[in-house]
C-alpha cells in the first residue's frame, strides 16, 4: 500500500510538472441516492434519433467536452443502475464530429473516501503539454461536497479510457475556517492562468440567499488556496450551480482560450440557478488584478436577465474546440415526463445539440447556433416558394419525416396596423406567452410552426412569433406553446417565452426548429433566443406526426423562405 501511494505521488508530480491550459463540467443536485432497476420498454416512440442519449438509464449534466488527439470527449453524469438520479458516475463517449458517438467505460466512479458517495460535476483543463486534468465534486464519507483531481493513466491512448485520482484528494473542502457550507460547494469550472502564472478556478456556492462563485488559486494544480473574495456574487439568487466563466471576442465568431483577457474580449459568467432550474448568463469584464468579475450595466443574475435557453435546458458547459477554433456549448435537456413514465420507458434525460456561441454585434448578448456538423444528417429536402400566409391559415409541410426533422423558415411582415398594443405591465414574456398562446387570435400573429402535430391538431407543439406595438418600436415575442403537446396530463406542459431583439420593420423573422420525437429545440432570430421543449404526444408519434405552418393573426404575413429536411439517425451506441 505504501509503495502504491509513493507511485501515485510520483505519477502526479511528473504529470503536473509542466503546468496546464483548458476545458469543463457541470451538475444538478437531488437528495437521497436511489437505485431503481427498470427494464426499458420495447416500444420507444420517444427515443431521439440524433440527440445524444445512452441506450438506457438516467443522464444529466455534460461534465465537459474536450478535444484530445483529434477526438471530442464527452463526459456526463450517469446512473448505471436505473432511470432516476443516483449512483452517479462520469460516463464517457468519444466522437469525430460531435454528432456520432462511441461509448467507453465510465471514466470516474466512486472509489476514494473523498468521492465514495458520488462523483458529481466538474470540468476539464488542458495542461500546456496537452495533458488533460479533471477537477470534480466528490461526495465524501460525511456527505460533504469536496473537490478532487483525476488525470489520464495513459496519455498515448487517444480514447483516454483510464483515469487516476490524486492521492491528495480532496484538494478543496469545506472547513470552519473558510466558512463554506458542506452542502453548497460544487462544480469546479475550467481553470485559467492569471498574470502571476497561478491557476484560478471557481466553484458554485451560496451564503444564505446570496449566490456566489468562490475563487481558488494554485501554482501546481494540486495545492489550492481560497481567495479572500469571491469572483462574483449577487443577493437573493440562491445556490449557483454549474458555473462557467470564459472570454468571447468582441467581434467575429471564433473561440479563444479560457485564459485570454484584454481589450479585445468580453467575459461571460454563466450560472445555473438551483431555485428555478434556469441557466442564466451575464456579459462583463474580468479585472485580473483584483480577481473580480464586473457585469456590464443592465446585465443581471436573475430570471429577468439573459438565459441560454428559455425552455428545458440546464447545467450547461462550454469548451474551446481547438480543431475548428470555436467555442461550443453543451447542455442537458431535462424531462417533462413523470418519474413513473421514465421508469417505464427505461431512460431519462438527453443532451441538446452542441451549439457554437459568439458575441452578438450589439455586445449585449450571445448568439447560439447548432454546430454545422448536424447538417450532414439532412436528407429529403423540401422547400416552399415565397407565399402569402393569410390570417387563419394552416398549411401542411409534407415530404419530410415530421417526427425527426430540421426546419428553417423566415417571415416578412409588411403591415403592422393591427399589431396589438403592448401593455407596459407585460414584462414577463413567459407569462405573456401562456396567456396569449397559439390558439389566441391576435393582430400580427401568432404565426409560426405547429410541430409533432396530430391530424386534426388535437395534439401539437406551437413555436411562433407575435408582434406588439411598443412605445417607440415594435416588439417581437417568441413562444413555445406546449399546452396541447400531449393528451397525457401527467407531463409538464409549461409554455416558454422570450422577447426577441429583432426589428421586424427592417428584418425578417427567422425560426429554426430541430424536431426529434420528444424534443423541439428552436432558435429564433438567427440564434438570439433559444427554446427547448420536451414533449410526449400520444397521437403524433413516428409516422403519425405532422408538420404545419400557421397564422392565427388577422393580418397576413409572408413566408419568405422555408426549407425542411428529414434527419437521418445519428450513430449513438
Amino acid at each position: 500500500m505504501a509503495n502504491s501511494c509513493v507511485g501515485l505521488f510520483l505519477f502526479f508530480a511528473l504529470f503536473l510538472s509542466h503546468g496546464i491550459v483548458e476545458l469543463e463540467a457541470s451538475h444538478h443536485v437531488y437528495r437521497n441516492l436511489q437505485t431503481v432497476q427498470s427494464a426499458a420498454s420495447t416500444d420507444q416512440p420517444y427515443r431521439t434519433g440524433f440527440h445524444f442519449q445512452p441506450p438506457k438509464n438516467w443522464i444529466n449534466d455534460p461534465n465537459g467536452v474536450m478535444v484530445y488527439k483529434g477526438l471530442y470527449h464527452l463526459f456526463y453524469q450517469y446512473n448505471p443502475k436505473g432511470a432516476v438520479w443516483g449512483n452517479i458516475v462520469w460516463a464517457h463517449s468519444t466522437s469525430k464530429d460531435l454528432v456520432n458517438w462511441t461509448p467507453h467505460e465510465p471514466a470516474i466512479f466512486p472509489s476514494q473516501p473523498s468521492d465514495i458517495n458520488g462523483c458529481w460535476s466538474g470540468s476539464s483543463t488542458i495542461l500546456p503539454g496537452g495533458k488533460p486534468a479533471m477537477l470534480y465534486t466528490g461526495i465524501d464519507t460525511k456527505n460533504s461536497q469536496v473537490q478532487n483531481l483525476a488525470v489520464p493513466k495513459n496519455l498515448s491512448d487517444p480514447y483516454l479510457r483510464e483515469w487516476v485520482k490524486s492521492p491528495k484528494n480532496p484538494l478543496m473542502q469545506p472547513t470552519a475556517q473558510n466558512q463554506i457550507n458542506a452542502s453548497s460547494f460544487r462544480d469546479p469550472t475550467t481553470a485559467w492562468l492569471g498574470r502571476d502564472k497561478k491557476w484560478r478556478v471557481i466553484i458554485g456556492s451560496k451564503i444564505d440567499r446570496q449566490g456566489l462563485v468562490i475563487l481558488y488559486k494554485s501554482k501546481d494544480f494540486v495545492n489550492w488556496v481560497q481567495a479572500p473574495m469571491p469572483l462574483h456574487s449577487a443577493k437573493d439568487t440562491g445556490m449557483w450551480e454549474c458555473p462557467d466563466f470564459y472570454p468571447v471576442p468582441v467581434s467575429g465568431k471564433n473561440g479563444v482560450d479560457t485564459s485570454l483577457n484584454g481589450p479585445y474580449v468580453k467575459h461571460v459568467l454563466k450560472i445555473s440557478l438551483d431555485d428555478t432550474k434556469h441557466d442564466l448568463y451575464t456579459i462583463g469584464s474580468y479585472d485580473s488584478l483584483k480577481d473580480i468579475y464586473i457585469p456590464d450595466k443592465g446585465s443581471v443574475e436573475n430570471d429577468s436577465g439573459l438565459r441560454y435557453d428559455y425552455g428545458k435546458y440546464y447545467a450547461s458547459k462550454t469548451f474551446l474546440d481547438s480543431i475548428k477554433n470555436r467555442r461550443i456549448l453543451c447542455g442537458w435537456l431535462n424531462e417533462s415526463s413523470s418519474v413513473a413514465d421514465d421508469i417505464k420507458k427505461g431512460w431519462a434525460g438527453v443532451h441538446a445539440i452542441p451549439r457554437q456561441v459568439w458575441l452578438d454585434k450589439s455586445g449585449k448578448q450571445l448568439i447560439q447556433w447548432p454546430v454545422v456538423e448536424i447538417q450532414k444528417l439532412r436528407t429529403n429536402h423540401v422547400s416552399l416558394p415565397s407565399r402569402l400566409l393569410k390570417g387563419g391559415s394552416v398549411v401542411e409541410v409534407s415530404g419530410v419525416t415530421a417526427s425527426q426533422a430540421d426546419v428553417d423558415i423566415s417571415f416578412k411582415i409588411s403591415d403592422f396596423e393591427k399589431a396589438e398594443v403592448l401593455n407596459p405591465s407585460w414584462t414577463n414574456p413567459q407569462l405573456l406567452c401562456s396567456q396569449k398562446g397559439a390558439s389566441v387570435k391576435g393582430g400580427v400573429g401568432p404565426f409560426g410552426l405547429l410541430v409533432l402535430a396530430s391530424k386534426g391538431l388535437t395534439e401539437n407543439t406551437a413555436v411562433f412569433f407575435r408582434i406588439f406595438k411598443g412605445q417607440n418600436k415594435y416588439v417581437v415575442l417568441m413562444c413555445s406553446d406546449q399546452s396541447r403537446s400531449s393528451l397525457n396530463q401527467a407531463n409538464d406542459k409549461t409554455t416558454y417565452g422570450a422577447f426577441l431583439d429583432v426589428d421586424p420593420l427592417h428584418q425578417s423573422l427567422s425560426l429554426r426548429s430541430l424536431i426529434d420525437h420528444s424534443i423541439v429545440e428552436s432558435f429564433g432570430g438567427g440564434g438570439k433566443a433559444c427554446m427547448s421543449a420536451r414533449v410526449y404526444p400520444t397521437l403524433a408519434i413516428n409516422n403519425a406526426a405532422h408538420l404545419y405552418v400557421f397564422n392565427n393573426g388577422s393580418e397576413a404575413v409572408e413566408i419568405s423562405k422555408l426549407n425542411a429536411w428529414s434527419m437521418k439517425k445519428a450513430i449513438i451506441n
Side-chain angles (χ1 to χ4, degrees):
M1 185 69 174
N3 286 337
S4 66
C5 284
V6 170
L8 275 176
F9 276 114
L10 289 173
F11 175 85
F12 269 81
L14 289 169
F15 189 95
L16 298 172
S17 61
H18 297 294
I20 311 188
V21 178
E22 204 297 300
L23 224 106
E24 342 243 303
S26 151
H27 127 108
H28 176 61
V29 173
Y30 295 84
R31 302 296 173 204
N32 304 322
L33 293 181
Q34 304 174 62
T35 303
V36 178
Q37 297 288 354
S38 51
S41 169
T42 55
D43 180 22
Q44 292 283 354
Y46 306 120
R47 279 197 66 83
T48 60
F50 57 95
H51 284 74
F52 179 84
Q53 63 175 139
K56 62 179 181 178
N57 298 335
W58 167 280
I59 71 167
N60 55 295
D61 316 359
N63 289 318
V65 185
M66 69 176 180
V67 176
Y68 187 72
K69 291 189 181 297
L71 289 174
Y72 296 103
H73 289 255
L74 169 63
F75 303 89
Y76 59 96
Q77 300 278 275
Y78 179 65
N79 179 2
K81 298 183 178 181
V84 298
W85 186 90
N87 316 291
I88 294 299
V89 303
W90 276 43
H92 179 203
S93 293
T94 55
S95 173
K96 294 180 180 179
D97 57 9
L98 292 171
V99 175
N100 303 291
W101 295 90
T102 300
H104 303 287
E105 290 298 310
I108 301 174
F109 46 86
S111 65
Q112 289 184 327
S114 60
D115 66 12
I116 199 63
N117 285 319
C119 297
W120 289 6
S121 292
S123 300
S124 309
T125 301
I126 303 295
L127 303 164
K131 303 173 184 178
M134 301 286 198
L135 289 172
Y136 69 97
T137 298
I139 309 303
D140 68 11
T141 54
K142 297 179 181 178
N143 282 322
S144 293
Q145 297 169 13
V146 299
Q147 313 313 319
N148 300 307
L149 172 64
V151 298
K153 183 177 181 180
N154 180 9
L155 287 170
S156 65
D157 176 15
Y159 298 103
L160 298 176
R161 284 169 285 202
E162 292 185 81
W163 291 74
V164 179
K165 298 175 184 178
S166 172
K168 288 193 173 183
N169 285 341
L171 308 185
M172 294 163 266
Q173 57 188 317
T175 65
Q177 288 73 31
N178 61 16
Q179 299 179 326
I180 294 171
N181 187 326
S183 63
S184 304
F185 181 56
R186 53 186 177 266
D187 313 335
T189 62
T190 293
W192 71 94
L193 272 174
R195 293 182 181 180
D196 55 5
K197 303 303 180 184
K198 289 183 180 179
W199 290 101
R200 283 147 171 83
V201 68
I202 53 173
I203 297 165
S205 189
K206 69 174 181 178
I207 298 175
D208 298 322
R209 290 285 306 149
Q210 181 180 15
L212 66 154
V213 280
I214 302 171
L215 179 67
Y216 277 81
K217 302 180 186 180
S218 174
K219 292 181 180 179
D220 59 7
F221 221 76
V222 174
N223 299 288
W224 294 86
V225 177
Q226 184 179 344
M229 298 288 291
L231 182 80
H232 189 57
S233 66
K235 295 179 180 178
D236 200 32
T237 51
M239 176 66 195
W240 288 5
E241 297 191 297
C242 312
D244 196 15
F245 186 59
Y246 58 93
V248 288
V250 294
S251 63
K253 298 182 180 181
N254 287 346
V256 294
D257 185 86
T258 306
S259 296
L260 188 66
N261 196 12
Y264 302 107
V265 300
K266 301 290 289 184
H267 269 77
V268 177
L269 175 61
K270 169 261 163 183
I271 53 175
S272 296
L273 284 188
D274 191 28
D275 285 1
T276 61
K277 302 299 181 287
H278 293 157
D279 273 14
L280 313 180
Y281 72 90
T282 55
I283 295 170
S285 301
Y286 169 47
D287 186 330
S288 58
L289 294 177
K290 296 180 180 179
D291 268 325
I292 57 171
Y293 167 73
I294 306 162
D296 290 347
K297 186 177 180 181
S299 219
V300 295
E301 301 87 350
N302 57 46
D303 279 339
S304 65
L306 295 167
R307 287 167 54 180
Y308 278 157
D309 193 296
Y310 294 84
K312 290 276 189 184
Y313 192 89
Y314 195 69
S316 58
K317 181 68 65 173
T318 66
F319 76 101
L320 177 64
D321 176 4
S322 56
I323 297 175
K324 294 195 173 182
N325 195 26
R326 56 188 176 171
R327 184 158 288 272
I328 301 295
L329 170 68
C330 300
W332 168 46
L333 304 180
N334 40 331
E335 286 296 343
S336 63
S337 53
S338 68
V339 173
D341 283 347
D342 292 343
I343 293 171
K344 182 179 179 182
K345 68 181 190 277
W347 56 270
V350 295
H351 284 179
I353 295 300
R355 305 171 182 176
Q356 183 175 356
V357 295
W358 64 92
L359 190 65
D360 182 51
K361 291 179 180 179
S362 69
K364 296 180 179 180
Q365 70 167 103
L366 295 174
I367 301 295
Q368 304 168 64
W369 199 247
V371 292
V372 67
E373 289 90 337
I374 200 69
Q375 295 178 21
K376 69 166 68 176
L377 298 178
R378 287 173 170 175
T379 186
N380 299 336
H381 177 224
V382 170
S383 63
L384 291 184
S386 176
R387 61 177 292 176
L388 204 63
L389 191 65
K390 295 181 179 180
S393 298
V394 178
V395 177
E396 182 163 12
V397 180
S398 56
V400 296
T401 305
S403 60
Q404 196 168 304
D406 184 352
V407 185
D408 195 356
I409 188 170
S410 292
F411 299 92
K412 284 185 179 178
I413 297 93
S414 56
D415 192 344
F416 294 86
E417 184 180 347
K418 295 181 180 178
E420 301 164 78
V421 176
L422 184 70
N423 188 312
S425 66
W426 293 349
T427 57
N428 184 329
Q430 181 165 340
L431 179 62
L432 188 56
C433 283
S434 65
Q435 293 172 343
K436 293 181 177 289
S439 62
V440 179
K441 190 176 179 67
V444 185
F447 56 89
L449 298 173
L450 299 175
V451 307
L452 295 177
S454 62
K455 204 72 175 176
L457 300 179
T458 301
E459 288 182 335
N460 70 82
T461 296
V463 189
F464 63 89
F465 302 115
R466 190 186 287 261
I467 297 177
F468 296 90
K469 187 175 183 179
Q471 191 170 5
N472 300 308
K473 63 178 182 179
Y474 289 103
V475 177
V476 179
L477 179 70
M478 177 180 170
C479 303
S480 181
D481 181 355
Q482 286 73 241
S483 61
R484 298 188 178 188
S485 63
S486 177
L487 296 179
N488 183 350
Q489 299 306 316
N491 295 329
D492 174 10
K493 295 190 282 186
T494 302
T495 289
Y496 311 126
F499 292 119
L500 189 63
D501 185 20
V502 173
D503 178 6
L505 276 172
H506 304 100
Q507 297 170 274
S508 62
L509 287 176
S510 69
L511 173 64
R512 183 178 177 189
S513 288
L514 299 173
I515 304 155
D516 199 359
H517 297 275
S518 59
I519 296 174
V520 183
E521 198 173 352
S522 300
F523 303 80
K528 288 190 172 185
C530 309
M531 293 178 194
S532 296
R534 301 298 316 283
V535 296
Y536 286 91
T538 61
L539 304 174
I541 58 177
N542 295 329
N543 293 333
H546 297 265
L547 171 66
Y548 300 92
V549 184
F550 81 101
N551 178 12
N552 199 26
S554 57
E555 202 67 62
V557 298
E558 179 189 350
I559 301 175
S560 55
K561 73 166 185 178
L562 185 149
N563 291 291
W565 298 264
S566 299
M567 295 291 279
K568 293 181 287 187
K569 189 175 176 62
I571 300 171
I572 303 171
N573 297 317

